[in-house]
Amino acid sequence: NAGVTQTPKFRILKIGQSMTLQCTQDMNHNYMYWYRQDPGMGLKLIYYSVGAGITDKGEVPNGYNVSRSTTEDFPLRLELAAPSQTSVYFCASILASSYNEQFFGPGTRLTVL
Amino acid sequence: GQNIDQPTEMTATEGAIVQINCTYQTSGFNGLFWYQQHAGEAPTFLSYNVLDGLEEKGRFSSFLSRSKGYSYLLLKELQMKDSASYLCAVSGGYNKLIFGAGTRLAVHP
Protein backbone atom coordinates (compact mmCIF):
# COMPACT_ATOMS: atom_id res chain seq x y z
CA ASN A 1 0.00 0.00 0.00
CA ALA A 2 1.21 3.48 -0.85
CA GLY A 3 -0.95 4.94 1.97
CA VAL A 4 -1.92 8.60 1.47
CA THR A 5 -0.23 10.35 -1.43
CA GLN A 6 -0.31 14.05 -2.26
CA THR A 7 0.75 16.00 -5.31
CA PRO A 8 2.45 18.34 -5.87
CA LYS A 9 5.04 18.48 -3.09
CA PHE A 10 5.75 22.16 -3.67
CA ARG A 11 4.02 24.92 -5.61
CA ILE A 12 4.36 28.68 -6.02
CA LEU A 13 1.26 30.54 -7.18
CA LYS A 14 0.63 34.13 -8.09
CA ILE A 15 -2.22 36.01 -6.44
CA GLY A 16 -5.49 35.21 -8.20
CA GLN A 17 -4.33 31.97 -9.79
CA SER A 18 -6.14 28.72 -9.14
CA MET A 19 -4.92 25.20 -8.55
CA THR A 20 -5.98 21.77 -7.31
CA LEU A 21 -4.11 19.85 -4.64
CA GLN A 22 -4.45 16.14 -5.22
CA CYS A 23 -4.91 13.52 -2.49
CA THR A 24 -5.28 9.78 -3.01
CA GLN A 25 -5.44 6.89 -0.55
CA ASP A 26 -5.37 3.17 -1.33
CA MET A 27 -6.51 1.85 2.06
CA ASN A 28 -10.25 1.94 1.28
CA HIS A 29 -10.75 4.53 4.01
CA ASN A 30 -14.12 6.22 3.94
CA TYR A 31 -13.25 9.35 5.96
CA MET A 32 -10.85 11.87 4.45
CA TYR A 33 -9.68 15.30 5.63
CA TRP A 34 -7.79 18.37 4.49
CA TYR A 35 -5.78 20.37 7.03
CA ARG A 36 -3.55 23.39 6.70
CA GLN A 37 -0.60 24.19 8.94
CA ASP A 38 0.83 27.68 9.18
CA PRO A 39 4.41 28.16 10.47
CA GLY A 40 4.75 27.34 14.17
CA MET A 41 1.10 26.38 14.48
CA GLY A 42 -0.99 23.27 14.77
CA LEU A 43 -3.15 21.91 11.98
CA LYS A 44 -6.55 23.39 11.18
CA LEU A 45 -9.32 21.45 9.42
CA ILE A 46 -10.41 22.90 6.08
CA TYR A 47 -12.89 20.31 4.75
CA TYR A 48 -13.69 16.69 5.38
CA SER A 49 -15.61 13.87 3.69
CA VAL A 50 -17.33 10.83 5.17
CA GLY A 51 -17.73 9.05 1.84
CA ALA A 52 -18.03 9.50 -1.89
CA GLY A 53 -20.37 12.38 -2.68
CA ILE A 54 -20.45 13.69 0.91
CA THR A 55 -18.34 16.65 2.05
CA ASP A 56 -18.59 19.25 4.80
CA LYS A 57 -16.79 22.34 6.05
CA GLY A 58 -14.22 22.35 8.82
CA GLU A 59 -12.82 25.27 10.83
CA VAL A 60 -11.31 27.29 7.95
CA PRO A 61 -13.14 26.52 4.66
CA ASN A 62 -13.19 30.01 3.11
CA GLY A 63 -11.33 30.20 -0.20
CA TYR A 64 -11.39 26.44 -0.78
CA ASN A 65 -13.61 23.85 -2.41
CA VAL A 66 -13.57 20.06 -2.38
CA SER A 67 -15.21 17.16 -4.14
CA ARG A 68 -15.28 13.42 -3.50
CA SER A 69 -16.36 11.46 -6.54
CA THR A 70 -14.53 8.26 -5.53
CA THR A 71 -13.49 6.62 -2.26
CA GLU A 72 -9.82 7.03 -3.17
CA ASP A 73 -9.58 10.69 -4.22
CA PHE A 74 -10.25 13.91 -2.34
CA PRO A 75 -8.94 16.95 -4.25
CA LEU A 76 -8.78 20.44 -2.72
CA ARG A 77 -9.36 23.40 -5.02
CA LEU A 78 -8.12 26.96 -4.54
CA GLU A 79 -10.01 29.26 -6.89
CA LEU A 80 -8.42 32.69 -6.33
CA ALA A 81 -5.17 32.25 -4.48
CA ALA A 82 -4.34 34.81 -1.79
CA PRO A 83 -1.15 35.30 0.26
CA SER A 84 -3.09 34.18 3.36
CA GLN A 85 -3.29 30.71 1.80
CA THR A 86 0.47 30.29 1.97
CA SER A 87 0.74 27.20 4.14
CA VAL A 88 1.51 23.49 4.23
CA TYR A 89 -1.50 21.37 3.33
CA PHE A 90 -1.96 17.86 4.69
CA CYS A 91 -4.48 15.28 3.58
CA ALA A 92 -5.45 12.49 5.97
CA SER A 93 -7.73 9.47 6.02
CA ILE A 94 -9.20 6.96 8.45
CA LEU A 95 -11.52 3.97 8.42
CA ALA A 96 -14.74 5.13 10.08
CA SER A 97 -15.09 2.06 12.26
CA SER A 98 -11.65 2.61 13.71
CA TYR A 99 -11.01 4.98 16.60
CA ASN A 100 -7.35 5.04 15.80
CA GLU A 101 -5.00 7.43 14.18
CA GLN A 102 -5.56 9.34 11.01
CA PHE A 103 -3.01 8.52 8.33
CA PHE A 104 -1.40 11.66 6.95
CA GLY A 105 0.03 12.31 3.51
CA PRO A 106 3.47 13.94 3.14
CA GLY A 107 2.03 17.42 2.59
CA THR A 108 2.02 20.09 -0.11
CA ARG A 109 3.97 23.28 0.59
CA LEU A 110 2.18 26.17 -1.13
CA THR A 111 3.45 29.73 -1.45
CA VAL A 112 1.26 32.50 -2.88
CA LEU A 113 3.12 35.62 -4.01
CA GLY B 1 -15.67 27.33 22.01
CA GLN B 2 -12.84 24.98 21.24
CA ASN B 3 -9.49 25.49 22.92
CA ILE B 4 -6.43 23.31 23.28
CA ASP B 5 -3.42 24.64 25.18
CA GLN B 6 0.09 23.28 25.39
CA PRO B 7 3.45 24.92 26.09
CA THR B 8 5.15 26.48 23.10
CA GLU B 9 8.68 25.24 23.75
CA MET B 10 10.54 22.91 26.08
CA THR B 11 14.15 21.85 26.39
CA ALA B 12 15.56 18.71 27.98
CA THR B 13 18.77 16.75 28.27
CA GLU B 14 19.54 13.51 26.49
CA GLY B 15 18.65 10.55 28.74
CA ALA B 16 16.25 12.56 30.87
CA ILE B 17 12.45 12.45 31.21
CA VAL B 18 10.15 15.19 29.96
CA GLN B 19 6.42 15.73 30.44
CA ILE B 20 4.40 17.77 27.94
CA ASN B 21 1.04 18.95 29.24
CA CYS B 22 -2.14 19.61 27.29
CA THR B 23 -5.40 21.11 28.52
CA TYR B 24 -8.52 21.19 26.41
CA GLN B 25 -12.03 22.58 26.26
CA THR B 26 -13.99 21.19 23.34
CA SER B 27 -17.65 20.72 22.48
CA GLY B 28 -17.21 17.03 21.66
CA PHE B 29 -14.79 14.34 22.78
CA ASN B 30 -14.08 11.00 21.14
CA GLY B 31 -10.54 10.70 22.39
CA LEU B 32 -7.22 12.50 22.63
CA PHE B 33 -4.27 11.95 20.34
CA TRP B 34 -0.59 12.81 20.53
CA TYR B 35 1.36 13.19 17.32
CA GLN B 36 5.06 13.77 16.71
CA GLN B 37 6.10 16.04 13.88
CA HIS B 38 9.67 16.56 12.70
CA ALA B 39 10.41 19.76 10.83
CA GLY B 40 9.17 19.60 7.23
CA GLU B 41 7.40 16.29 7.73
CA ALA B 42 3.86 15.02 8.30
CA PRO B 43 2.59 14.26 11.81
CA THR B 44 3.07 10.67 12.94
CA PHE B 45 0.88 8.96 15.51
CA LEU B 46 2.22 8.42 19.02
CA SER B 47 -0.71 7.63 21.29
CA TYR B 48 -4.47 7.63 21.80
CA ASN B 49 -6.46 7.91 25.03
CA VAL B 50 -10.22 7.67 25.29
CA LEU B 51 -10.55 6.48 28.90
CA ASP B 52 -8.98 8.02 31.99
CA GLY B 53 -5.60 6.71 32.93
CA LEU B 54 -2.16 5.97 31.60
CA GLU B 55 -1.31 4.31 28.30
CA GLU B 56 2.27 3.11 27.97
CA LYS B 57 4.05 2.35 24.72
CA GLY B 58 7.77 1.82 25.03
CA ARG B 59 9.54 5.08 25.93
CA PHE B 60 6.31 7.04 25.50
CA SER B 61 3.34 7.21 27.87
CA SER B 62 0.19 9.31 27.72
CA PHE B 63 -2.25 10.17 30.48
CA LEU B 64 -5.81 11.43 30.31
CA SER B 65 -8.20 12.94 32.84
CA ARG B 66 -11.50 13.69 31.13
CA SER B 67 -13.02 15.40 34.17
CA LYS B 68 -10.11 17.87 34.27
CA GLY B 69 -9.75 18.26 30.51
CA TYR B 70 -6.10 17.36 30.89
CA SER B 71 -3.56 15.10 29.26
CA TYR B 72 0.18 14.71 29.29
CA LEU B 73 2.76 12.96 27.17
CA LEU B 74 5.74 11.50 29.00
CA LEU B 75 8.94 10.78 27.13
CA LYS B 76 11.59 8.72 28.90
CA GLU B 77 15.26 8.10 28.11
CA LEU B 78 15.29 11.04 25.75
CA GLN B 79 17.28 10.73 22.56
CA MET B 80 18.47 13.44 20.20
CA LYS B 81 16.02 12.15 17.57
CA ASP B 82 13.15 13.07 19.92
CA SER B 83 13.75 16.73 19.07
CA ALA B 84 10.50 17.55 17.29
CA SER B 85 7.12 19.19 17.75
CA TYR B 86 4.51 17.32 19.75
CA LEU B 87 0.89 17.96 18.85
CA CYS B 88 -2.04 17.36 21.16
CA ALA B 89 -5.34 16.80 19.31
CA VAL B 90 -8.90 16.09 20.42
CA SER B 91 -11.13 13.94 18.25
CA GLY B 92 -14.75 15.01 17.78
CA GLY B 93 -17.61 13.92 15.57
CA TYR B 94 -16.63 12.07 12.37
CA ASN B 95 -13.14 11.67 13.89
CA LYS B 96 -12.34 15.29 13.06
CA LEU B 97 -9.21 16.44 14.89
CA ILE B 98 -8.78 19.76 16.66
CA PHE B 99 -5.11 20.45 17.23
CA GLY B 100 -3.20 22.49 19.72
CA ALA B 101 -0.42 24.73 18.42
CA GLY B 102 2.20 22.14 19.31
CA THR B 103 5.15 22.01 21.70
CA ARG B 104 8.64 22.26 20.22
CA LEU B 105 10.98 20.01 22.17
CA ALA B 106 14.72 20.49 21.91
CA VAL B 107 16.88 17.68 23.29
CA HIS B 108 20.51 18.64 23.94
CA PRO B 109 23.51 16.50 24.91
Side-chain angles (χ1 to χ4, degrees), chain B residues 16-61:
Chain B
I17 300 173
V18 70
Q19 178 175 313
I20 303 173
N21 295 324
C22 171
T23 58
Y24 64 90
Q25 286 180 303
T26 57
S27 56
F29 184 85
N30 285 342
L32 189 140
F33 290 82
W34 285 95
Y35 282 84
Q36 181 190 61
Q37 187 178 29
H38 285 101
E41 297 183 7
T44 55
F45 170 77
L46 287 178
S47 70
Y48 169 67
N49 295 70
V50 65
L51 300 176
D52 290 351
L54 189 68
E55 293 281 341
E56 297 188 79
K57 193 188 282 189
R59 293 190 300 116
F60 297 83
S61 303

Side-chain angles (χ1 to χ4, degrees), chain A residues 18-54:
Chain A
S18 61
M19 77 164 293
T20 299
L21 283 68
Q22 301 291 346
C23 174
T24 300
Q25 54 87 14
D26 61 358
M27 298 173 284
N28 205 30
H29 286 173
N30 42 359
Y31 287 11
M32 296 186 73
Y33 311 84
W34 275 105
Y35 296 91
R36 60 175 286 174
Q37 185 176 32
D38 297 333
M41 302 296 290
L43 285 73
K44 290 194 183 298
L45 182 65
I46 305 171
Y47 270 95
Y48 69 101
S49 169
V50 300
I54 307 170

Side-chain angles (χ1 to χ4, degrees), chain A:
Chain A
N1 285 353
V4 181
T5 57
Q6 293 183 238
T7 56
K9 285 188 169 54
F10 304 93
R11 184 72 185 268
I12 298 175
L13 282 182
K14 293 183 180 176
I15 294 172
Q17 286 185 318
S18 61
M19 77 164 293
T20 299
L21 283 68
Q22 301 291 346
C23 174
T24 300
Q25 54 87 14
D26 61 358
M27 298 173 284
N28 205 30
H29 286 173
N30 42 359
Y31 287 11
M32 296 186 73
Y33 311 84
W34 275 105
Y35 296 91
R36 60 175 286 174
Q37 185 176 32
D38 297 333
M41 302 296 290
L43 285 73
K44 290 194 183 298
L45 182 65
I46 305 171
Y47 270 95
Y48 69 101
S49 169
V50 300
I54 307 170
T55 63
D56 206 351
K57 297 176 181 178
E59 299 172 82
V60 289
N62 291 345
Y64 306 95
N65 277 302
V66 294
S67 60
R68 183 101 180 267
S69 56
T70 67
T71 300
E72 295 77 20
D73 300 306
F74 189 39
L76 178 73
R77 178 100 180 138
L78 283 70
E79 290 294 348
L80 290 170
S84 60
Q85 294 177 304
T86 294
S87 191
V88 180
Y89 291 83
F90 290 103
C91 179
S93 71
I94 191 172
L95 194 61
S97 61
S98 163
Y99 279 99
N100 278 308
E101 77 271 23
Q102 292 185 10
F103 291 83
F104 283 86
T108 294
R109 188 175 297 274
L110 176 67
T111 302
V112 182
L113 300 174

